[in-house]
Every structure is written in structure tokens, then in C-alpha cells.
Amino acid sequence: MFMRCLTVVLLILAGGVHAGPRALDGGVYTRAQAKAGEDLFEAHCGTCHDPEYFKGVFRAWAGEPLADLFDVMAATMPQSNPGSLGNPTYVGILAYILDENDYPRGEQALSEYARGFDEITVTAP
């Protein structure tokens, strides 16, 4: 028993144990990100999309890594100039969309460069 506890402690200290996968319904963005993303959404997405549109998108992507959804969004939007906005802008827009679709906010912000998105699972709203 002592050796098992010692092994766990050593793994934690070495950084070998992490929180593991998270889900969108676990609060993966902050209120500040969503607020900043609102203006970005209006400027780049609002003429074609209503935030409610994304309920169906999240349902379709349920169970998949957020990284996959994010990559498609960043590579195909806006239609007039796909991929042109840069990761921090896309992340802000994503935070606003999450907020508008009633995903809970959290204490930790989404990475502006989409780091760790492969460890976040999309859940249906």
C-alpha cells in the first residue's frame, strides 16, 4: 500500500498525472471570454448565423473532441475568407457561442491557441 501511494505521489510531482478529459458541460471557458467573443461574433458571424444555430452543431458533434469541431470552424469560416481570423479570435467566438447555448462557465479560460481542445469532449446542449 505504501509503495502504491508513493508511486502516485511521484507521478503527480513529475507531472505524469493530469485531470484527464473534460466535457463542454464542465465549464471550459470564462465569462470574460464570452463577453469579449460577443463583439467578435457580431463582426464576423452574426450576419449569417444566429447563436441558436449551434445547438444542432453541438448535438451533431457530441462525443467528439472539441479540437475537431474547432479545426473545422477555423478552416471554413467566415465563408468569405475561411481561416482568416486567427486562433484567438476563433476561440473568443467559440466562448460566446458556448455561453449563448447555455454551457456553464468555468474558472479557467479556453486557451487562445486551442491547446488542450483535444481533451475536451463536445456534449449536446
Side-chain angles (χ1 to χ4, degrees), residues 12-59:
I12 291 170
L13 291 174
V17 174
H18 56 83
R22 300 181 296 163
L24 284 184
D25 57 6
V28 299
Y29 69 97
T30 64
R31 177 185 175 105
Q33 275 187 310
K35 184 66 180 149
E38 182 175 10
D39 291 336
L40 296 170
F41 181 89
E42 290 304 319
H44 301 288
C45 314
T47 57
C48 296
H49 299 292
D50 181 280
E52 292 290 313
Y53 159 83
F54 294 96
K55 282 190 191 298
V57 173
F58 291 124
R59 280 190 208 101

Side-chain angles (χ1 to χ4, degrees), residues 64 69 88 99 120:
E64 299 297 324
L69 173 62
D99 198 52
I120 301 171

Side-chain angles (χ1 to χ4, degrees), residues 44 73-86 90:
H44 301 288
M73 179 181 93
T76 62
M77 293 290 131
Q79 280 186 328
S80 62
N81 195 4
S84 64
L85 303 180
Y90 288 113

